[in-house]
Amino acid sequence: MSIIIIAIMVLGYLLIATANYTNVNKAAVAMFMAVVGWIVYICYGYDFVLDNHPRDFLIYLMGDAPTSEGVKMFVAQNIFIKYVGKAAEVILFLIATMTIVEILSDNGCFDFLQEILRTRNARKMLWMVVGITLILSANIDNVTVTTMMLVMIHKLLASRRDRLTFGCAIVLASNCGGCLTVIGDPFGLALWNEGAVTASNYTVSMLVPVLLACAIPTYLLSRKLPDRLDLQWVLPPYRGDDTNLGRRQREIMGVVALLGLWLIPTFHNITKLSPFLGALCVLALLWVVNEIYNRKLNNSDQMIRQSRPRAIQYSSLQTILYIIGIMLALGAVEETGFLKQIGAWCWTNVHNVFILGTVAGIISTVLDTFTTAMTCMTMFDIAPQGALGDATCFVQNGPYWKIIAFCTAIGGSMISVGSLSGIVLMKMEQINIRWFLHHFSFKVFIGWLCGMGFLFAEVYVFNFF
């Protein structure tokens, strides 16, 4: 039955990689993989349980004879629930941060960004857009940030060609910012939750490679821009009765949100509780501030809910469902032992984390950043601290985890279908893959090589890891 589960995974990966051509939603494929994979697993669970969990199963039986019903109960209560918990940690964190973004957006806390970006100097605006996107995506879900920045640029720039250029830079900056911190991307959060990395070490290690991978393509893009941009001087959004916050109050709400998110690693280090609890704490504090500032409107029957682009709401829900599906599907495959066998084969025959990272980056250009990274993560176990020899690559804060995070993030930016952020750009600006390849992919490739070069120096020259 392992063959059937593996075949489901391979078929699902093919559908995800070709979603742009088949028009089959990635989230739907991921959820289908998860459901069918676990149905097959639990229907033939006796063999899997005896192979992988014989001791735990005997303890569970407490001397009773094994039955089909008992096996299913054991799988549901002791195996499946473990993967549900892992997925829930990531999803609850994303829900909290997405709600934080919604509260800030409802109160106009991002409106000042349009004021900052009002300049006709093309190069100046490009660097400002990239910088803002990088900072925001390092703290907030990068798909939400991408959508928000693309909507803003669409309002400001009259030329579609300029919007496409800026959109490519936004996708790259969003993916780079996402892999800069453990809270900026679902994969970084999964690494953190599993104990593969610590927050501060991860960010320090990734800082220079990420900045190189983002800055070099941005510089190359800026050389192709005209000197002056044709801006659409739209008025700030009319909010009617949906908010009465002044600029100072909006700034305070923004500071509360960002400062709270930055303190989540500290919360985790002190309490050892899951990071999503820290995110929920930040959400609760921000919610209280929102209620205080809007207490008059909350008691009014005339309060108007601010409309947001439908793309933001849809992309957020799709991201959540997609991540649930992939993590549960990989759980079913992991229980067969297949991925560990693939990992052992790769290490025996390749025996180099940089080659493995490069291959993962190439795969992520067509498959998907998160799917590729999670698959690579599942192939190897975290080695205990103090391990010697080859195992040092897989200890906590070992080079393998960071190389995979970096390579898949930048590799997913090389082609527009390689990340959810790129797909958002394709849908919003009707960009095609050929245009992306011709105007942007090689620039990302150069940045990727420079970032990989610095990672190589951190490992073998500076011995940072």
Side-chain angles (χ1 to χ4, degrees):
M1 288 303 106
S2 298
I3 296 176
I4 295 178
I5 296 176
I6 294 165
I8 292 169
M9 182 193 75
V10 173
L11 178 61
Y13 279 17
L14 288 174
L15 289 173
I16 290 172
T18 58
N20 187 57
Y21 303 100
T22 62
N23 293 320
V24 177
N25 192 287
K26 290 185 176 184
V29 174
M31 289 186 292
F32 182 80
M33 289 169 55
V35 173
V36 177
W38 277 105
I39 288 175
V40 173
Y41 183 92
I42 203 166
C43 287
Y44 297 89
Y46 186 74
D47 294 335
F48 292 124
V49 168
L50 288 184
D51 288 341
N52 300 316
H53 307 279
R55 184 173 178 274
D56 293 337
F57 186 49
L58 289 176
I59 295 173
Y60 176 80
L61 290 175
M62 298 179 63
D64 295 336
T67 62
S68 174
E69 188 71 17
V71 171
K72 291 180 180 179
M73 291 298 294
F74 175 78
V75 171
Q77 296 176 3
N78 296 273
I79 300 177
F80 176 68
I81 198 67
K82 177 180 69 174
Y83 296 99
V84 172
K86 291 180 179 180
E89 284 189 312
V90 176
I91 294 307
L92 287 171
F93 190 95
L94 287 177
I95 290 175
T97 55
M98 288 174 179
T99 308
I100 288 170
V101 173
E102 182 176 338
I103 292 175
L104 295 176
S105 179
D106 276 349
N107 287 282
C109 297
F110 297 118
D111 288 352
F112 71 92
L113 294 179
Q114 290 191 35
E115 301 173 15
I116 296 175
L117 295 176
R118 291 185 184 280
T119 174
R120 291 191 183 275
N121 187 310
R123 292 174 180 81
K124 180 180 178 181
M125 178 183 277
L126 179 65
W127 284 103
M128 291 170 64
V129 165
V130 167
I132 291 171
T133 305
L134 187 72
I135 293 171
L136 289 178
S137 61
N139 298 279
I140 304 171
D141 169 55
N142 51 353
V143 176
T144 303
V145 172
T146 300
T147 308
M148 184 176 67
M149 294 301 295
L150 288 175
V151 169
M152 195 176 303
I153 289 299
H154 193 89
K155 293 178 180 179
L156 287 174
L157 300 180
S159 169
R160 181 174 181 269
R161 185 177 182 82
D162 291 339
R163 292 200 302 269
L164 294 182
T165 302
F166 275 73
C168 292
I170 287 171
V171 170
L172 175 62
S174 176
N175 289 334
C176 285
C179 76
L180 181 59
T181 65
V182 293
I183 63 173
D185 181 82
F187 177 64
L189 187 61
L191 284 176
W192 191 28
N193 285 333
E194 288 293 317
V197 297
T198 56
S200 56
N201 182 281
Y202 179 84
T203 299
V204 172
S205 303
M206 301 292 278
L207 181 61
V208 176
V210 164
L211 291 180
L212 286 173
C214 186
I216 291 173
T218 302
Y219 170 74
L220 296 175
L221 265 184
S222 67
R223 297 177 61 185
K224 302 294 183 180
L225 288 173
D227 293 332
R228 308 291 288 177
L229 290 172
D230 183 15
L231 295 186
Q232 301 177 111
W233 295 95
V234 295
L235 294 173
Y238 173 69
R239 298 191 176 278
D241 293 327
D242 66 337
T243 184
N244 61 349
L245 268 63
R247 185 181 184 90
R248 182 66 176 273
Q249 292 172 316
R250 297 177 188 179
E251 291 174 350
I252 291 174
M253 291 190 69
V255 169
V256 169
L258 289 178
L259 185 60
L261 291 171
W262 290 341
L263 290 175
I264 289 176
T266 304
F267 168 87
H268 173 68
N269 290 334
I270 294 174
T271 65
K272 307 305 178 185
L273 293 170
S274 179
F276 81 82
L277 283 173
L280 291 177
C281 180
V282 177
L283 172 59
L285 291 175
L286 184 64
W287 206 331
V288 169
V289 174
N290 175 66
E291 295 285 324
I292 293 173
Y293 282 162
N294 288 291
R295 58 186 179 277
K296 293 182 180 179
L297 293 178
N298 291 336
N299 296 325
S300 172
D301 294 333
Q302 299 178 352
M303 184 175 180
I304 302 172
R305 181 176 178 82
Q306 181 188 337
S307 61
R308 289 180 305 282
R310 191 178 292 266
I312 293 180
Q313 303 171 48
Y314 180 72
S315 65
S316 299
L317 179 60
Q318 179 177 320
T319 300
I320 289 173
L321 295 175
Y322 179 73
I323 290 171
I324 291 174
I326 290 297
M327 294 190 72
L328 291 181
L330 281 174
V333 179
E334 183 181 357
E335 283 298 317
T336 67
F338 174 73
L339 289 175
K340 291 293 187 295
Q341 294 174 14
I342 293 295
W345 183 90
C346 288
W347 189 247
T348 301
N349 292 275
V350 177
H351 209 71
N352 187 293
V353 289
F354 283 93
I355 295 177
L356 292 177
T358 300
V359 172
I362 294 171
I363 294 173
S364 68
T365 61
V366 292
L367 181 55
D368 174 78
T369 298
F370 180 75
T371 304
T372 306
M374 286 300 301
T375 304
C376 292
M377 175 184 170
T378 310
M379 286 164 53
F380 297 96
D381 291 322
I382 302 170
Q385 290 295 333
L388 301 175
D390 297 337
T392 56
C393 294
F394 305 101
V395 298
Q396 186 181 63
N397 294 320
Y400 177 77
W401 316 114
K402 300 166 189 177
I403 291 168
I404 291 297
F406 176 81
C407 289
T408 53
I410 309 305
S413 306
M414 205 171 299
I415 300 179
S416 53
V417 297
S419 66
L420 293 177
S421 298
I423 292 173
V424 170
L425 172 64
M426 292 178 66
K427 290 181 177 180
M428 292 187 66
E429 294 295 344
Q430 300 302 310
I431 190 175
N432 59 63
I433 298 177
R434 184 178 300 176
W435 188 97
F436 198 96
L437 285 169
H438 180 69
H439 291 89
F440 193 57
S441 295
F442 186 69
K443 298 177 178 63
V444 178
F445 179 70
I446 295 174
W448 182 22
L449 289 180
C450 295
M452 280 287 283
F454 196 89
L455 274 174
F456 186 88
E458 285 186 341
V459 175
Y460 294 111
V461 179
F462 306 122
N463 294 318
F464 182 75
F465 292 99

